[in-house]
Amino acid sequence: MKVHRLWLLGAASVLVTGGEGVAQQPPELPAVTVAQPKPKPKPAATARVRPRPRPAPAATPAPAAPAGVAAPATPVGPRWDEPVTTALQSMPSGVRATSTGPATTATESQIIRDPAAQMGDVVFTRPGVTSTTFAPGASRPVIRGLESVRVRVQENGIGSHDVSDLGEDHGVPIDPLAAKKIEIIRGPGTLRYSSQAIGGIASATNDRIPEVLPRQGVHGEIRASGATVDRGYDGAVLVDAVHDKTVLHVDAYGRHADDYRIPGGVQPNTKIGASGESAAVTRFFDGGFAGLGIQHYQSVYHIPGTESAINDTRIAMEQTKVTGRGAWRLDGGAFEAVRWWVGATNYKHHEMGLDELGIDGTRATFVNRQQEARAELAHVPVATAFGELTGVIGADTGHRDLNSGGEAGGLIGPSTTDRAAVYTLEQLRIAPTWSLVAAGRVEYAKISGIAFTFPSLVFTGDEPTSAAASRSFVPMSVSAALVKDLPWAVTASLTVEHKERAPGPLELYAHGAHDATGTFEIGDANLQKEKMNAVELGLKRQSGDWRFEANAYYRKFDGFIFRQLTGNLCGEDYDTCGDPNGEFMQVIYTQLDATFRGVELYSQLDVARLAGGIVTLEGQYDYLRATFEGGANVPRIPPMRLGGGLSWRDANWLARVNFIHAFAQDDPGVNETATPGYNLLKAELSYTDKIRDPGSPFTSFTIGAVGDNLLDDDIRNSVSFRKDEVLLPGRTFRAFATLRF
């Protein structure tokens, strides 16, 4: 395949047609009618820590809610009217995210229209983003071909604190049913959270601990949906009770699905059941707020695949997490505000199934206990010779105890990770049309565990040796973005980054079979820091009839850490490695220099007004090529994709059809197979309106239906270890409803 010709075809198609860059989750189109604005809250009722008054560039007005529907406290309208990245939007210093790098956002209404069991599935078709799709209950985001420890998953600023970074079969205990927004964040803003997030951050947010005092009284919403492909159903209830300056939030959600259908049959062992609940109390005071919450999540999901289906392999996961955050203004001095976040988690999951004798039981157990804390100070604006400087300085720390055990749970022994970091994030307004955002982070990480030395990859009669080990690393990262405002509301950006990360505990200390993924993993306790140098060019327009964003990037990795399939098979123990009848694929962790280069294009073009609504043409394109030094392919890289669609929306109705073609992935890694392409057609229709009965406790509703994979095509994900055994769901129809009160 002539990749360069296809790239040119895709680029031309997107720039001509327009689109949002969101293939399966459309943008919120501008409302046609304008609702009455709500009165501004009194200063004492505003918890968002605000900077001292200073001139700011005019912002594009937030879109109005559909006619007759009360405007929410936080706008969930067209994402094109917001900064490209909202990672810094709530920063008290006034540092804005428009300069920090591109991001992908799934709004609350998009999540409602097409809920998924895992965060990764919500953003599966976004340009530059996909997911592992290992199982319906386990699908982690993949950002520009990077996954696992290179992508931080978080909720309300606190990490997910699970073991999804240890294997694709491990789910993320954050259900989109309880989310208000899901973002994929890149650029300087990622250094606020972790040096590990070389790939980016997948961030879910909700109102469990709100930053802005909601309106008085009791209000919330009820969500529900059902699907045909797996006879699945899900639902959620989210409630806020507000009295004076105290907010009580509670939510509960659940989902159930049977084995899903695929073209020509059923994909065995794909059932899922999950539920969760949370409660939080937030107190607002003059100049700030503080809140504390507790949440619980549990699920049982099955693992697809030939051996997994035979053995009825499934994972029972449970997590309890306590989180808190707050902010307050400071009077006088060099700093104007302080913010803080804390979290502590107890996580456990059991990997269950049939053993060699056909006896059902727990074959492996993973335990993760983790704590995290972060605080940052926003300094007052500083006048410099180049312009006004605003920003924050911060520090964070974390501790993690990890272990696995059981008959098939020898993947990793007891491991402890301690880390501490300091960071800064600054914005310099050089001129009315120029700005610079820069971030730096220095982190200390100490990872302790049991290191194994294997005499060879194939058993020769000698057993591996082991000893306690401890490695320390000091990753240092910097990132800067230069932004220029151009005519016609176009913004150009240049981002330059040097990021480093320490190896994770599994990369260092893995030493055995992982039943659910079907791998026998061998770590390397001598791995060095992974380093990345990157440059990215961006061009975007967020307002007007034609809105678009285009990004081109180049990333050079020094010592890229990856899992390499050796071609050997193993049983549960090392002395079976080399047995052609083994049930586990042997993989080793190793390092090679690598280069990633890619392009992402997405836009939307309002082409006409029809029957009181807006007709919009949309399109998207993304391409990634990743190779090691010497020309070998990096394994498990997403395919090139090209898509487009048409939508119509007025104040109440949304109708949309969209098509994506994923090209064949003909550049597999060593011991991998090529992945065929696929076509994905989707259509949706929804209606939102106000409930006008004055005696009803309900205020508005949304109902609708979505048809996905309407061509019933065979869809295999080149990112998945199980792509040759497992198809993604076939044709499905989903009905959904949301009732607000």
Side-chain angles (χ1 to χ4, degrees):
M1 178 180 293
K2 300 294 185 181
V3 173
H4 63 283
R5 294 180 183 173
L6 291 173
W7 183 91
L8 291 173
L9 172 63
S13 299
V14 173
L15 291 177
V16 169
T17 62
E20 189 220 4
V22 177
Q24 294 304 102
Q25 298 281 6
E28 300 300 321
L29 303 180
V32 176
T33 58
V34 179
Q36 284 294 110
K38 295 182 64 175
K40 294 183 179 179
K42 297 178 181 179
T46 301
R48 188 183 300 278
V49 180
R50 301 187 182 277
R52 295 172 185 176
R54 56 181 179 272
T60 302
V69 178
T74 301
V76 293
R79 310 321 296 173
W80 290 104
D81 290 323
E82 294 189 0
V84 179
T85 257
T86 55
L88 309 179
Q89 204 164 356
S90 60
M91 290 181 56
S93 67
V95 173
R96 302 301 291 175
T98 52
S99 319
T100 64
T104 299
T105 301
T107 66
E108 180 181 11
S109 59
Q110 290 167 349
I111 296 171
I112 289 172
R113 293 200 302 268
D114 203 4
Q118 290 279 283
M119 287 176 60
D121 293 336
V122 175
V123 294
F124 174 68
T125 57
R126 308 296 176 100
V129 186
T130 185
S131 60
T132 56
T133 65
F134 195 87
S139 186
R140 213 172 190 270
V142 179
I143 304 175
R144 293 179 171 176
L146 302 177
E147 56 174 317
S148 185
V149 292
R150 296 184 186 88
V151 173
R152 172 182 164 97
V153 178
Q154 64 182 30
E155 184 178 34
N156 298 325
I158 294 295
S160 58
H161 293 182
D162 50 41
V163 294
S164 64
D165 58 335
L166 302 187
E168 292 82 357
D169 61 309
H170 301 161
V172 177
I174 300 174
D175 198 305
L177 281 169
K180 294 287 187 179
K181 181 169 58 177
I182 295 174
E183 296 173 289
I184 301 297
I185 303 168
R186 300 183 293 271
T190 62
L191 295 184
R192 292 176 68 202
Y193 302 101
S194 174
S195 66
Q196 295 291 95
I198 283 180
I201 294 174
S203 179
T205 57
N206 53 49
D207 292 334
R208 286 172 178 159
I209 301 176
E211 290 184 324
V212 176
L213 182 65
R215 65 182 184 272
Q216 297 292 307
V218 178
H219 46 85
E221 61 185 73
I222 302 170
R223 304 177 181 178
S225 72
T228 60
V229 72
D230 53 12
R231 293 184 292 182
Y233 52 87
D234 55 63
V237 179
L238 302 89
V239 180
D240 288 309
V242 185
H243 176 69
D244 193 21
K245 296 182 181 181
T246 300
V247 181
L248 172 64
H249 172 92
V250 294
D251 62 64
Y253 52 87
R255 64 175 69 248
H256 171 83
D258 295 331
D259 293 342
Y260 63 72
R261 299 190 63 80
I262 58 176
V266 173
Q267 185 68 59
N269 218 44
T270 51
K271 301 181 183 69
I272 179 176
S275 63
E277 53 279 328
S278 76
V281 176
T282 305
R283 178 66 179 177
F284 291 82
F285 50 87
D286 291 341
F289 74 96
L292 185 67
I294 184 170
Q295 58 198 70
H296 178 258
Y297 178 90
Q298 60 186 7
S299 70
V300 177
Y301 60 91
H302 292 237
I303 304 297
T306 305
E307 287 292 331
S308 298
I310 294 173
N311 297 327
D312 192 24
T313 303
R314 59 202 185 277
I315 290 180
M317 176 203 305
E318 185 172 11
Q319 182 193 64
T320 301
K321 179 189 288 187
V322 176
T323 59
R325 65 171 174 168
W328 63 91
R329 285 188 293 267
L330 303 175
D331 295 326
F335 298 98
E336 62 182 14
V338 61
R339 295 167 67 91
W340 56 270
W341 299 257
V342 295
T345 301
N346 185 7
Y347 171 98
K348 178 185 289 187
H349 83 239
H350 302 287
E351 300 185 0
M352 300 179 291
L354 304 176
D355 61 16
E356 294 85 350
L357 301 177
I359 300 174
D360 193 20
T362 298
R363 294 172 54 76
T365 298
F366 285 76
V367 176
N368 186 66
R369 293 184 174 88
Q370 196 164 348
Q371 303 86 42
E372 177 182 354
R374 185 171 83 258
E376 59 187 31
L377 287 163
H379 64 73
V380 298
V382 177
T384 74
F386 301 99
E388 185 182 70
L389 181 70
T390 57
V392 298
I393 59 172
D396 61 59
T397 184
H399 175 82
R400 182 184 192 183
D401 290 317
L402 173 68
N403 196 9
S404 69
E407 178 186 356
L411 178 64
I412 187 170
S415 171
T416 300
T417 301
D418 291 289
R419 63 173 182 83
V422 293
Y423 62 87
T424 184
L425 180 59
E426 300 287 337
Q427 176 175 274
L428 180 64
R429 192 70 178 181
I430 303 172
T433 61
W434 287 92
S435 62
L436 174 68
V437 171
R441 181 182 180 93
V442 178
E443 184 168 303
Y444 170 80
K446 181 179 180 181
I447 305 103
S448 302
I450 307 298
F452 277 70
T453 301
F454 290 81
S456 71
L457 297 180
V458 178
F459 182 68
T460 60
D462 297 324
E463 292 291 337
T465 59
S466 64
S470 183
R471 297 288 309 279
S472 297
F473 303 89
V474 184
M476 294 181 287
S477 302
V478 292
S479 179
L482 181 65
V483 177
K484 169 65 174 175
D485 295 331
L486 301 174
W488 303 293
V490 176
T491 301
S493 63
L494 171 65
T495 303
V496 180
E497 298 182 296
H498 171 81
K499 291 183 177 180
E500 301 178 354
R501 77 170 184 92
L506 192 66
E507 294 169 321
L508 294 170
Y509 305 129
H511 60 261
H514 191 182
D515 186 57
T517 58
T519 53
F520 189 99
E521 304 190 16
I522 299 174
D524 183 352
N526 297 312
L527 292 174
Q528 302 302 308
K529 285 190 300 185
E530 181 180 273
K531 302 177 182 179
M532 180 193 76
N533 294 309
V535 61
E536 178 172 348
L537 293 172
L539 195 67
K540 69 176 182 289
R541 188 171 191 255
Q542 297 176 294
S543 60
D545 291 339
W546 184 27
R547 303 163 297 277
F548 61 84
E549 184 164 352
N551 301 300
Y553 60 91
Y554 180 90
R555 291 173 163 180
K556 180 69 175 179
F557 286 86
D558 180 7
F560 183 80
I561 302 172
F562 69 104
R563 286 183 299 176
Q564 176 66 63
L565 286 164
T566 66
N568 298 328
L569 297 176
C570 301
E572 293 179 355
D573 301 310
Y574 170 65
D575 60 9
T576 63
C577 285
D579 183 352
N581 297 316
E583 58 180 311
F584 298 104
M585 300 176 291
Q586 188 185 65
V587 297
I588 59 172
Y589 286 91
T590 187
Q591 285 184 288
L592 285 174
D593 294 346
T595 302
F596 286 60
R597 53 273 195 196
V599 175
E600 299 155 2
L601 305 172
Y602 36 103
S603 63
Q604 65 177 187
L605 176 65
D606 297 337
V607 295
R609 288 185 174 269
L610 178 67
I614 299 174
V615 178
T616 300
L617 197 63
E618 59 183 86
Q620 69 173 74
Y621 172 78
D622 59 344
Y623 166 75
L624 169 62
R625 185 79 174 97
T627 56
F628 291 115
E629 187 176 24
N633 299 315
V634 175
R636 296 177 300 282
I637 292 299
M640 178 169 58
R641 297 177 297 186
L642 176 66
L646 190 68
S647 64
W648 176 86
R649 179 172 181 168
D650 67 3
N652 303 105
W653 288 95
L654 169 65
R656 179 176 180 266
V657 61
N658 187 267
F659 175 81
I660 289 179
H661 174 69
F663 293 83
Q665 178 51 276
D666 293 326
D667 298 311
V670 176
N671 293 313
E672 283 189 325
T673 59
T675 307
Y678 60 83
N679 296 308
L680 186 59
L681 178 64
K682 179 176 180 177
E684 62 180 293
L685 179 68
S686 63
Y687 179 80
T688 298
D689 204 353
K690 180 181 179 180
I691 296 177
R692 296 173 174 81
D693 182 358
S696 173
F698 300 104
T699 59
S700 65
F701 68 93
T702 299
I703 57 173
V706 176
D708 208 350
N709 193 8
L710 293 175
L711 301 178
D712 205 27
D713 204 1
D714 289 353
I715 300 178
R716 299 186 187 274
N717 184 6
S718 60
V719 173
S720 174
F721 264 104
R722 297 283 181 91
K723 65 183 178 63
D724 295 326
E725 304 175 59
V726 178
L727 287 172
L728 297 189
R731 182 185 297 115
T732 182
F733 297 94
R734 176 183 295 274
F736 63 88
T738 296
L739 193 59
R740 303 171 188 89
F741 57 89

